[in-house]
Amino acid sequence: MPERPKAPRGTFDILPADAESRARLHELAAGAFGAAGYGRIETPAFEQTDLFARAVGEATDIVTKEMFSFHDQGGRELTLRPEGTAPICRAYVEHGMHKLPQPVKLWYSGAYFRHERPQAGRFRQFHQIGVEAIGTNDPMADAETIILLDQLLRSFEVPGVTLRVGSLGTVSSRAAYREELRDYLRAHQAELSPEVRERIEQNPLRAFDSDHDQTRAVMAQAPQMIDRLDDADAEHLAAVERLLRESGVEFERDGSLVRGLDYYTRTVFEFTSDALGAQSALGGGGRYDGLIDELGGPPTAAVGWAAGVERILLAVAAEPPEPTADVYVAADGDAERERAFALVTELRRAGMVAHLDLARRSIKGQMKQADRAGARHAVLIEADGASVRDMSSGEQTGLDLAHAVEVLSS
Ligand code: AMP
C-alpha cells in the first residue's frame, strides 16, 4: 500500500463543521470594522524576504527562526508572510496611499505562516484578523483600534479576557533604555537562560518574554521602559488610557509588555484569555510610527493589531451549531427524482435551504436524512402527486408543485 499523504506538521484542515463559527467571527469583524470606517485589504501570501527582515527586525524570533523562505525559479528570495503589518505598509507605500485623506483605515483576514513548535493553539499555518490605522499619531486611533478588538471579543463572547497596555517609547528614548537594560542583564548573566544571554547585545528586550523561571525572577526586578518615557510619550499613554477608561474598557498597565516585533513605538497592548493554556494570547499590537519611513515611504505614524482566529475559537470552544434546512425533497424512481431535482433548484433560487438525496436511499432512509439535516418540511414526490410533511408535528398534506415556493416559504 502506498503511504497516505498527510497535511504538513503544524497545519490543519478546516472541515465544514468548523467553518461555521469561523464565518460568524468574520461576519462580526466585517460588521464592526466597516462601521468604524475600516476598508478590507488583501495582500499576497508571500513577499520578498527582505520586507520582513527590514520591518519585523533582523534579531527577532520571527526573522531568525520562524520564516518559511524559499527561492523561486528566478532565484528571488521569497517568504510566506509571517505577519500582516509589514505587507500592508508595503502596499501603503507602493500604492501612494499617503496621498489619500489620512488616516487610511484598513482591516484584513488571512493565513499566516511561522515555523514554530506546534502545540495547542500554536500552528505553522494559522489565521489572523487585524486592523491598521495608518497616517495618524492621535491617541484616539490607538484607543479606537483597541476598542475594536475588545468589541470583537465581547460580541463573540470570548471568556476570561484580560487587556494589558504598555508603552515602548520612541526609538531614541529606547536606545538609552536598551543600554541600561543590557547593563542590568550583564550583571545577572549567570541567572539567565542561555538563549536570553546570547541575545543581550542584539535584542535585550526579548528577555521579558522568557518562560525560564530564573530569567523571569531577574526580569521582575528589571528596569522598565514605561518608567523612562519622555513627557510626550507619557502624555500619549495617559491619553490612550483615559479614552479606554471612558469607553468602559478594562485594562491593566504592564511595563513588561514588549511584544516580539521590533517595529513598535509608544503604545503596545495584548489581549489574553484564561480559557486558553500556555498560548494565552488572543491578539495584540501597537503603534509603529517608524515603519512606513523604514520601508521608503514618507514619515507616517500608524497603529494596529492582529488577533489569532484559532485562539479565539479555542477560547470559546463552541459546539458546532445544529444543522437547519427549510426543505428536504424525497423521491424514489428516475422520473420522480428528476422532478425532485427541479424542485430543489427552484427552492434554492428562491433563497431557501433545500436538500435532496444523491445516494439513492430508500424513502425511509431519505426521511432519516431529512431529520438529520434539521429540515422544517419534507416534500415527498410520487408518480401521482406530491405531499408535504411538517417535520415537527408530523402533519402531512397534499402539495401542488406549481405553488411549492409559496407554500414552503410561508
Ligand atoms: P503576533 O503577530 O505574534 O502578535 O500574533 C498575533 C496573534 O496571532 C497572537 O496573539 C495569536 O493569537 C496569534 N498567533 C501568533 N502566532 C500563532 C501561531 N503560530 N499559531 C496560532 N496563532 C498564532
Side-chain angles (χ1 to χ4, degrees), residues 307-395:
V309 170
E310 287 75 26
R311 299 276 176 89
I312 294 175
L313 297 173
L314 273 173
V316 173
E319 291 286 311
E322 291 289 317
T324 58
D326 295 308
V327 187
Y328 190 99
V329 182
D332 201 6
D334 292 342
E336 291 80 358
R337 290 185 79 240
E338 287 199 10
R339 281 161 62 212
F341 185 86
L343 176 60
V344 159
T345 304
E346 188 188 352
L347 296 174
R348 287 176 186 163
R349 283 186 181 142
M352 279 186 249
V353 178
H355 300 309
L356 89 164
D357 168 67
L358 294 178
R360 290 198 174 267
R361 289 179 183 82
S362 65
I363 291 291
K364 197 170 154 212
Q366 292 182 45
M367 293 316 283
K368 212 184 266 175
Q369 289 301 111
D371 211 32
R372 201 176 271 172
R376 279 194 309 124
H377 292 107
V379 170
L380 178 61
I381 308 234
E382 288 169 304
D384 54 355
S387 57
V388 56
R389 177 191 292 188
D390 181 315
M391 293 296 282
S392 49
S393 70
E395 192 185 329

Coordinates of all heavy atoms in Angstrom, one line a residue, residues 307-395:
A307 N -5.1 39.5 15.6 CA -5.7 38.6 16.5 C -5.7 37.2 15.9 O -5.8 37.1 14.7 CB -7.1 38.9 17.0
G308 N -5.4 36.1 16.7 CA -5.4 34.8 16.2 C -6.8 34.2 16.1 O -7.4 34.0 17.1
V309 N -7.2 33.8 14.9 CA -8.6 33.3 14.8 C -8.7 31.9 15.5 O -9.7 31.7 16.3 CB -8.9 33.0 13.2 CG1 -10.1 32.2 13.0 CG2 -8.9 34.4 12.5
E310 N -7.7 31.0 15.4 CA -7.8 29.7 16.1 C -7.8 29.9 17.6 O -8.5 29.2 18.3 CB -6.6 28.8 15.7 CG -6.7 28.3 14.3 CD -6.4 29.3 13.2 OE1 -5.6 30.3 13.5 OE2 -6.9 29.2 12.1
R311 N -7.1 30.9 18.1 CA -7.0 31.1 19.6 C -8.4 31.6 20.0 O -8.9 31.1 21.1 CB -6.0 32.2 19.9 CG -4.6 31.9 19.6 CD -3.9 31.1 20.6 NE -2.6 30.8 20.2 CZ -1.5 31.5 20.4 NH1 -1.6 32.6 21.0 NH2 -0.4 31.1 19.9
I312 N -9.1 32.5 19.3 CA -10.4 32.9 19.6 C -11.4 31.8 19.7 O -12.2 31.6 20.6 CB -10.9 34.1 18.7 CG1 -9.9 35.3 18.8 CG2 -12.3 34.4 18.9 CD1 -10.2 36.4 17.9
L313 N -11.3 30.9 18.6 CA -12.2 29.8 18.5 C -12.0 28.8 19.7 O -12.9 28.3 20.2 CB -12.1 29.1 17.2 CG -12.5 30.0 16.0 CD1 -12.1 29.2 14.7 CD2 -14.0 30.3 16.0
L314 N -10.7 28.6 20.0 CA -10.3 27.7 21.1 C -10.9 28.2 22.4 O -11.3 27.4 23.2 CB -8.8 27.5 21.2 CG -8.1 26.5 20.3 CD1 -6.6 26.7 20.4 CD2 -8.5 25.1 20.7
A315 N -10.7 29.5 22.6 CA -11.2 30.0 23.9 C -12.7 29.9 24.1 O -13.2 29.7 25.2 CB -10.8 31.5 24.0
V316 N -13.4 30.0 23.0 CA -14.9 29.9 23.0 C -15.3 28.4 23.1 O -16.3 28.1 23.7 CB -15.5 30.7 21.9 CG1 -17.0 30.5 21.8 CG2 -15.2 32.2 22.0
A317 N -14.5 27.6 22.4 CA -14.8 26.1 22.3 C -16.2 25.9 22.0 O -16.9 25.1 22.6 CB -14.4 25.4 23.6
A318 N -16.7 26.6 21.0 CA -18.2 26.5 20.7 C -18.5 25.1 20.1 O -17.7 24.6 19.2 CB -18.6 27.6 19.7
E319 N -19.6 24.5 20.5 CA -20.1 23.3 19.8 C -20.5 23.7 18.4 O -21.1 24.8 18.2 CB -21.3 22.8 20.5 CG -21.0 22.2 21.9 CD -20.3 20.9 21.8 OE1 -20.8 20.0 21.1 OE2 -19.3 20.7 22.5
P320 N -20.3 22.9 17.4 CA -20.8 23.3 16.1 C -22.3 23.4 16.2 O -22.9 22.5 16.8 CB -20.4 22.2 15.2 CG -19.6 21.2 16.0 CD -19.5 21.7 17.4
P321 N -22.9 24.4 15.5 CA -24.4 24.5 15.7 C -25.1 23.4 15.0 O -24.6 22.8 14.1 CB -24.7 25.9 14.9 CG -23.5 26.1 14.1 CD -22.3 25.4 14.7
E322 N -26.3 23.1 15.5 CA -27.1 22.0 14.9 C -27.5 22.5 13.4 O -27.7 23.7 13.2 CB -28.4 21.9 15.6 CG -28.3 21.3 17.0 CD -28.0 19.8 16.9 OE1 -28.6 19.1 16.1 OE2 -27.1 19.4 17.7
P323 N -27.5 21.6 12.5 CA -27.8 22.0 11.1 C -29.3 22.3 11.0 O -30.1 21.8 11.8 CB -27.5 20.7 10.3 CG -27.6 19.6 11.2 CD -27.2 20.1 12.6
T324 N -29.6 23.2 10.1 CA -31.0 23.5 9.8 C -31.2 23.6 8.3 O -30.3 24.0 7.6 CB -31.5 24.9 10.4 OG1 -30.7 25.9 9.9 CG2 -31.4 24.9 12.0
A325 N -32.4 23.3 7.9 CA -32.8 23.4 6.5 C -34.2 23.8 6.4 O -35.0 23.5 7.3 CB -32.4 22.1 5.7
D326 N -34.6 24.4 5.3 CA -36.1 24.7 5.1 C -36.8 23.4 4.6 O -37.9 23.1 5.1 CB -36.2 25.8 4.0 CG -35.6 27.1 4.6 OD1 -36.0 27.5 5.7 OD2 -34.8 27.7 3.9
V327 N -36.2 22.7 3.6 CA -36.9 21.6 3.0 C -36.0 20.5 2.6 O -34.9 20.7 2.2 CB -37.6 22.1 1.6 CG1 -38.5 21.1 1.0 CG2 -38.3 23.4 1.8
Y328 N -36.5 19.3 2.8 CA -35.8 18.1 2.2 C -36.8 17.5 1.2 O -37.9 17.2 1.5 CB -35.4 17.1 3.3 CG -34.5 16.0 2.8 CD1 -33.2 16.0 3.0 CD2 -35.1 14.9 2.1 CE1 -32.3 15.0 2.5 CE2 -34.3 13.9 1.6 CZ -32.9 13.9 1.8 OH -32.1 13.0 1.3
V329 N -36.3 17.3 0.0 CA -37.2 16.8 -1.1 C -36.9 15.3 -1.3 O -35.8 15.0 -1.7 CB -37.2 17.6 -2.4 CG1 -38.1 17.0 -3.4 CG2 -37.4 19.0 -2.1
A330 N -37.8 14.4 -1.0 CA -37.6 13.0 -1.1 C -38.3 12.4 -2.3 O -39.4 12.9 -2.7 CB -38.1 12.3 0.2
A331 N -37.7 11.5 -3.0 CA -38.3 10.9 -4.2 C -37.6 9.5 -4.4 O -36.5 9.3 -4.1 CB -38.1 11.8 -5.4
D332 N -38.4 8.6 -5.1 CA -37.9 7.3 -5.5 C -38.3 7.1 -7.0 O -39.3 7.5 -7.4 CB -38.6 6.2 -4.6 CG -37.8 5.0 -4.6 OD1 -36.7 5.0 -5.1 OD2 -38.3 4.0 -4.0
G333 N -37.4 6.5 -7.7 CA -37.7 6.3 -9.2 C -37.1 7.4 -10.0 O -37.1 8.6 -9.5
D334 N -36.7 7.1 -11.2 CA -36.0 8.1 -12.0 C -36.8 9.4 -12.3 O -36.3 10.5 -12.1 CB -35.5 7.5 -13.4 CG -34.5 6.4 -13.1 OD1 -33.8 6.4 -12.0 OD2 -34.2 5.6 -14.0
A335 N -38.0 9.2 -12.8 CA -38.8 10.4 -13.1 C -39.1 11.2 -11.9 O -38.9 12.5 -12.0 CB -40.1 9.9 -13.8
E336 N -39.4 10.6 -10.8 CA -39.7 11.3 -9.5 C -38.4 12.1 -9.1 O -38.5 13.2 -8.6 CB -40.2 10.4 -8.4 CG -41.5 9.8 -8.7 CD -41.5 8.6 -9.6 OE1 -40.4 8.3 -10.2 OE2 -42.6 8.0 -9.9
R337 N -37.3 11.4 -9.2 CA -36.0 12.0 -8.7 C -35.7 13.3 -9.6 O -35.2 14.3 -9.1 CB -34.9 11.1 -8.8 CG -35.0 10.0 -7.7 CD -33.7 9.1 -7.7 NE -32.6 9.7 -7.0 CZ -31.4 9.9 -7.5 NH1 -31.2 9.7 -8.8 NH2 -30.5 10.5 -6.8
E338 N -36.0 13.2 -10.8 CA -35.8 14.4 -11.7 C -36.7 15.5 -11.3 O -36.3 16.7 -11.3 CB -35.9 14.0 -13.2 CG -34.6 13.2 -13.6 CD -34.3 13.2 -15.0 OE1 -35.0 14.0 -15.8 OE2 -33.4 12.4 -15.4
R339 N -37.9 15.2 -11.0 CA -38.9 16.3 -10.5 C -38.4 16.9 -9.2 O -38.5 18.1 -9.0 CB -40.3 15.7 -10.4 CG -40.9 15.7 -11.8 CD -42.1 14.7 -11.9 NE -43.2 15.2 -11.0 CZ -44.1 14.4 -10.4 NH1 -44.0 13.1 -10.5 NH2 -45.0 14.9 -9.7
A340 N -37.8 16.0 -8.4 CA -37.3 16.5 -7.1 C -36.1 17.4 -7.3 O -36.0 18.5 -6.7 CB -36.8 15.3 -6.2
F341 N -35.3 17.0 -8.3 CA -34.1 17.9 -8.6 C -34.6 19.2 -9.1 O -34.0 20.3 -8.6 CB -33.3 17.2 -9.7 CG -32.0 17.9 -10.0 CD1 -30.8 17.6 -9.2 CD2 -31.9 18.8 -11.0 CE1 -29.7 18.3 -9.5 CE2 -30.7 19.5 -11.3 CZ -29.6 19.2 -10.6
A342 N -35.6 19.3 -9.9 CA -36.1 20.5 -10.5 C -36.7 21.4 -9.3 O -36.4 22.6 -9.3 CB -37.1 20.3 -11.5
L343 N -37.4 20.7 -8.4 CA -38.0 21.5 -7.3 C -36.9 22.1 -6.4 O -37.0 23.2 -6.0 CB -38.9 20.6 -6.5 CG -39.6 21.2 -5.3 CD1 -40.4 22.4 -5.7 CD2 -40.4 20.2 -4.5
V344 N -35.9 21.3 -6.0 CA -34.8 21.7 -5.2 C -34.1 23.0 -5.8 O -33.9 24.0 -5.1 CB -33.8 20.6 -4.9 CG1 -32.5 21.1 -4.4 CG2 -34.4 19.7 -3.8
T345 N -33.9 22.9 -7.1 CA -33.2 24.0 -7.8 C -34.1 25.3 -7.7 O -33.6 26.4 -7.4 CB -33.0 23.6 -9.2 OG1 -32.2 22.4 -9.2 CG2 -32.2 24.7 -10.0
E346 N -35.4 25.1 -7.9 CA -36.4 26.2 -7.8 C -36.4 26.8 -6.4 O -36.3 28.0 -6.2 CB -37.8 25.7 -8.2 CG -38.8 26.8 -8.3 CD -40.2 26.3 -8.5 OE1 -40.4 25.1 -8.7 OE2 -41.1 27.1 -8.5
L347 N -36.4 25.9 -5.4 CA -36.4 26.4 -4.0 C -35.2 27.2 -3.6 O -35.2 28.2 -3.0 CB -36.6 25.2 -3.0 CG -38.0 24.5 -3.2 CD1 -38.0 23.2 -2.2 CD2 -39.1 25.4 -2.8
R348 N -34.0 26.6 -4.1 CA -32.7 27.3 -3.8 C -32.7 28.6 -4.4 O -32.2 29.6 -3.9 CB -31.6 26.4 -4.3 CG -31.4 25.2 -3.4 CD -30.3 24.3 -3.9 NE -30.2 23.0 -3.2 CZ -29.5 21.9 -3.6 NH1 -29.0 21.9 -4.8 NH2 -29.5 20.9 -2.9
R349 N -33.2 28.7 -5.7 CA -33.2 30.0 -6.4 C -34.0 31.0 -5.6 O -33.8 32.2 -5.7 CB -33.7 29.8 -7.8 CG -32.6 29.3 -8.7 CD -33.0 29.2 -10.2 NE -32.0 28.6 -11.0 CZ -32.2 27.8 -12.0 NH1 -33.4 27.6 -12.4 NH2 -31.2 27.4 -12.7
A350 N -35.0 30.5 -4.9 CA -35.9 31.4 -4.2 C -35.3 31.7 -2.8 O -36.0 32.4 -2.0 CB -37.3 30.8 -4.0
G351 N -34.1 31.2 -2.6 CA -33.4 31.6 -1.3 C -33.6 30.6 -0.2 O -33.1 30.9 1.0
M352 N -34.2 29.5 -0.4 CA -34.4 28.5 0.7 C -33.2 27.5 0.7 O -32.5 27.3 -0.3 CB -35.7 27.8 0.4 CG -36.9 28.6 0.9 SD -38.3 27.6 0.7 CE -39.1 28.4 -0.6
V353 N -33.0 27.0 1.9 CA -32.0 25.9 2.1 C -32.8 24.6 1.8 O -33.7 24.2 2.6 CB -31.4 25.9 3.5 CG1 -30.5 24.7 3.7 CG2 -30.8 27.2 3.9
A354 N -32.4 24.0 0.7 CA -33.2 22.8 0.3 C -32.2 21.7 -0.1 O -31.2 21.9 -0.7 CB -34.0 23.1 -0.9
H355 N -32.5 20.4 0.4 CA -31.7 19.3 0.1 C -32.4 18.2 -0.6 O -33.6 18.1 -0.5 CB -31.1 18.7 1.4 CG -30.3 19.7 2.2 ND1 -29.3 20.4 1.7 CD2 -30.4 20.0 3.5 CE1 -28.8 21.1 2.7 NE2 -29.4 20.9 3.8
L356 N -31.7 17.3 -1.3 CA -32.3 16.1 -1.8 C -31.2 15.0 -1.8 O -30.0 15.2 -1.5 CB -32.8 16.3 -3.3 CG -31.9 16.0 -4.5 CD1 -32.7 15.9 -5.7 CD2 -30.9 17.2 -4.6
D357 N -31.7 13.8 -2.0 CA -30.8 12.6 -1.9 C -30.0 12.4 -3.1 O -30.5 12.4 -4.2 CB -31.8 11.4 -1.6 CG -31.0 10.1 -1.8 OD1 -30.2 9.8 -0.9 OD2 -31.3 9.4 -2.7
L358 N -28.7 12.2 -2.9 CA -27.8 11.9 -4.1 C -27.2 10.5 -3.9 O -26.2 10.3 -4.6 CB -26.7 13.0 -4.2 CG -27.2 14.4 -4.5 CD1 -26.0 15.4 -4.6 CD2 -27.9 14.5 -5.9
A359 N -27.8 9.7 -3.1 CA -27.2 8.4 -2.8 C -28.2 7.3 -3.0 O -27.9 6.1 -2.6 CB -26.6 8.3 -1.4
R360 N -29.3 7.6 -3.7 CA -30.3 6.6 -4.0 C -30.7 5.8 -2.7 O -30.8 4.5 -2.7 CB -29.9 5.6 -5.1 CG -29.8 6.4 -6.4 CD -29.8 5.4 -7.6 NE -29.9 6.1 -8.9 CZ -31.1 6.3 -9.5 NH1 -32.2 5.9 -9.0 NH2 -31.1 6.9 -10.7
R361 N -31.0 6.5 -1.6 CA -31.5 5.9 -0.4 C -33.0 5.5 -0.6 O -33.6 6.1 -1.5 CB -31.4 6.8 0.8 CG -30.0 7.0 1.3 CD -30.0 8.0 2.4 NE -28.7 8.3 2.9 CZ -27.9 9.2 2.3 NH1 -28.3 9.9 1.2 NH2 -26.7 9.5 2.7
S362 N -33.5 4.6 0.2 CA -34.9 4.3 0.2 C -35.6 5.6 0.8 O -35.0 6.4 1.4 CB -35.2 3.1 1.2 OG -34.9 3.6 2.5
I363 N -37.0 5.6 0.6 CA -37.7 6.8 1.1 C -37.5 6.9 2.6 O -37.3 7.9 3.2 CB -39.2 6.6 0.8 CG1 -39.4 6.8 -0.7 CG2 -40.1 7.6 1.6 CD1 -39.2 8.2 -1.3
K364 N -37.5 5.7 3.3 CA -37.3 5.7 4.8 C -35.9 6.3 5.1 O -35.8 7.2 6.0 CB -37.4 4.2 5.3 CG -37.6 4.2 6.7 CD -37.9 2.7 7.2 CE -37.5 2.5 8.6 NZ -37.0 1.2 8.9
G365 N -34.9 5.9 4.3 CA -33.6 6.4 4.5 C -33.5 7.9 4.3 O -32.9 8.7 5.0
Q366 N -34.3 8.4 3.3 CA -34.3 9.8 2.9 C -35.0 10.6 4.1 O -34.6 11.7 4.4 CB -35.0 10.1 1.6 CG -34.2 9.5 0.4 CD -34.9 9.8 -0.9 OE1 -35.4 10.9 -1.2 NE2 -35.0 8.8 -1.8
M367 N -36.0 10.0 4.7 CA -36.7 10.7 5.8 C -35.7 10.9 7.0 O -35.8 11.9 7.7 CB -38.0 10.0 6.2 CG -39.1 10.1 5.1 SD -39.3 11.7 4.3 CE -40.2 12.5 5.5
K368 N -34.9 9.9 7.2 CA -33.9 9.9 8.2 C -32.9 11.1 8.0 O -32.6 11.8 8.8 CB -33.2 8.6 8.3 CG -32.7 8.2 9.7 CD -31.9 7.0 9.7 CE -32.8 5.7 10.0 NZ -32.0 4.5 9.9
Q369 N -32.6 11.2 6.7 CA -31.6 12.3 6.3 C -32.3 13.7 6.5 O -31.6 14.6 6.9 CB -31.3 12.2 4.8 CG -30.3 11.0 4.5 CD -29.0 11.1 5.3 OE1 -28.8 10.3 6.2 NE2 -28.2 12.1 4.9
A370 N -33.6 13.7 6.2 CA -34.3 15.0 6.4 C -34.3 15.4 7.8 O -34.1 16.6 8.1 CB -35.8 14.8 5.9
D371 N -34.4 14.4 8.7 CA -34.4 14.7 10.2 C -33.0 15.2 10.5 O -32.8 16.2 11.3 CB -34.7 13.4 10.9 CG -35.4 13.6 12.2 OD1 -36.1 14.6 12.2 OD2 -35.2 12.8 13.1
R372 N -32.0 14.5 10.1 CA -30.6 14.8 10.4 C -30.2 16.2 9.9 O -29.4 16.9 10.5 CB -29.7 13.7 9.7 CG -28.3 13.6 10.4 CD -27.5 12.5 9.8 NE -27.8 11.3 10.4 CZ -27.3 10.1 10.0 NH1 -26.6 10.0 8.9 NH2 -27.5 9.0 10.7
A373 N -30.8 16.6 8.7 CA -30.5 17.9 8.2 C -31.2 19.0 8.9 O -31.0 20.2 8.6 CB -30.8 17.9 6.7
G374 N -32.1 18.7 9.8 CA -32.8 19.7 10.6 C -33.9 20.4 9.7 O -34.2 21.6 9.9
A375 N -34.4 19.6 8.7 CA -35.4 20.3 7.8 C -36.7 20.5 8.5 O -37.2 19.8 9.3 CB -35.6 19.3 6.6
R376 N -37.3 21.7 8.2 CA -38.6 22.1 8.7 C -39.7 21.3 8.0 O -40.7 20.9 8.6 CB -38.8 23.6 8.6 CG -38.2 24.4 9.7 CD -38.7 25.8 9.7 NE -38.7 26.5 8.4 CZ -39.7 27.0 7.8 NH1 -40.9 27.0 8.4 NH2 -39.6 27.6 6.7
H377 N -39.5 21.1 6.7 CA -40.5 20.4 5.9 C -39.8 19.3 5.1 O -38.7 19.5 4.6 CB -41.2 21.3 4.9 CG -42.1 22.3 5.6 ND1 -41.8 23.7 5.7 CD2 -43.3 22.2 6.2 CE1 -42.8 24.3 6.4 NE2 -43.7 23.4 6.7
A378 N -40.5 18.2 4.9 CA -40.1 17.2 3.9 C -41.2 17.1 2.8 O -42.3 17.1 3.1 CB -39.9 15.9 4.5
V379 N -40.7 17.2 1.6 CA -41.6 17.0 0.4 C -41.4 15.6 -0.1 O -40.3 15.2 -0.3 CB -41.4 18.1 -0.6 CG1 -42.2 17.8 -1.9 CG2 -41.7 19.5 -0.1
L380 N -42.5 14.9 -0.4 CA -42.4 13.6 -1.0 C -43.0 13.6 -2.4 O -44.2 14.0 -2.5 CB -43.1 12.5 -0.1 CG -43.1 11.1 -0.6 CD1 -41.7 10.6 -0.8 CD2 -44.0 10.2 0.3
I381 N -42.2 13.3 -3.4 CA -42.7 13.3 -4.7 C -43.0 11.9 -5.2 O -42.1 11.0 -5.1 CB -41.6 13.9 -5.7 CG1 -41.1 15.3 -5.1 CG2 -42.1 14.0 -7.1 CD1 -41.2 16.4 -6.0
E382 N -44.2 11.7 -5.6 CA -44.6 10.4 -6.1 C -45.1 10.5 -7.5 O -45.4 11.6 -8.0 CB -45.6 9.8 -5.1 CG -45.0 9.4 -3.8 CD -46.0 9.1 -2.7 OE1 -46.9 9.9 -2.4 OE2 -45.9 7.9 -2.2
A383 N -45.4 9.3 -8.1 CA -45.8 9.3 -9.5 C -47.1 10.1 -9.7 O -47.3 10.8 -10.7 CB -46.0 7.8 -10.0
D384 N -48.0 10.0 -8.7 CA -49.3 10.6 -8.9 C -49.5 11.9 -8.1 O -50.6 12.4 -7.9 CB -50.4 9.6 -8.5 CG -50.2 9.1 -7.1 OD1 -49.1 9.4 -6.5 OD2 -51.0 8.4 -6.6
G385 N -48.4 12.5 -7.7 CA -48.5 13.8 -7.0 C -47.5 14.0 -5.9 O -46.5 13.2 -5.9
A386 N -47.7 15.0 -5.1 CA -46.6 15.3 -4.1 C -47.3 15.7 -2.8 O -48.5 16.1 -2.8 CB -45.8 16.5 -4.5
S387 N -46.6 15.4 -1.7 CA -47.2 15.8 -0.4 C -46.1 16.5 0.5 O -44.9 16.3 0.2 CB -47.7 14.6 0.4 OG -46.7 13.7 0.5
V388 N -46.5 17.3 1.5 CA -45.5 17.9 2.3 C -45.8 17.5 3.8 O -46.9 17.5 4.2 CB -45.5 19.5 2.1 CG1 -46.9 20.0 2.3 CG2 -44.5 20.1 3.0
R389 N -44.7 17.3 4.5 CA -44.9 16.9 5.9 C -44.2 18.0 6.8 O -43.0 18.4 6.5 CB -44.2 15.5 6.2 CG -44.3 15.2 7.6 CD -43.4 14.0 8.0 NE -44.0 12.8 7.3 CZ -43.5 11.5 7.6 NH1 -42.5 11.4 8.4 NH2 -44.0 10.5 7.0
D390 N -44.9 18.4 7.8 CA -44.3 19.3 8.8 C -43.5 18.4 9.7 O -44.0 17.6 10.4 CB -45.4 20.0 9.6 CG -44.8 21.0 10.6 OD1 -43.9 20.6 11.3 OD2 -45.3 22.1 10.7
M391 N -42.1 18.6 9.7 CA -41.3 17.6 10.4 C -41.4 17.7 11.9 O -41.1 16.7 12.6 CB -39.8 17.9 10.0 CG -39.5 17.6 8.6 SD -39.7 15.8 8.2 CE -38.2 15.1 8.9
S392 N -41.9 18.8 12.5 CA -42.1 18.8 14.0 C -43.4 18.2 14.4 O -43.5 17.4 15.3 CB -41.8 20.2 14.6 OG -42.6 21.1 13.9
S393 N -44.5 18.5 13.6 CA -45.8 18.0 14.0 C -46.1 16.6 13.4 O -47.0 15.9 13.9 CB -46.9 19.0 13.7 OG -47.1 19.1 12.3
G394 N -45.5 16.3 12.3 CA -45.7 15.1 11.6 C -46.9 15.2 10.6 O -47.3 14.3 9.9
E395 N -47.6 16.4 10.7 CA -48.8 16.6 9.8 C -48.4 16.6 8.4 O -47.5 17.2 7.9 CB -49.4 18.0 10.2 CG -50.8 18.2 9.7 CD -51.2 19.6 10.0 OE1 -50.8 20.2 11.0 OE2 -51.9 20.2 9.2

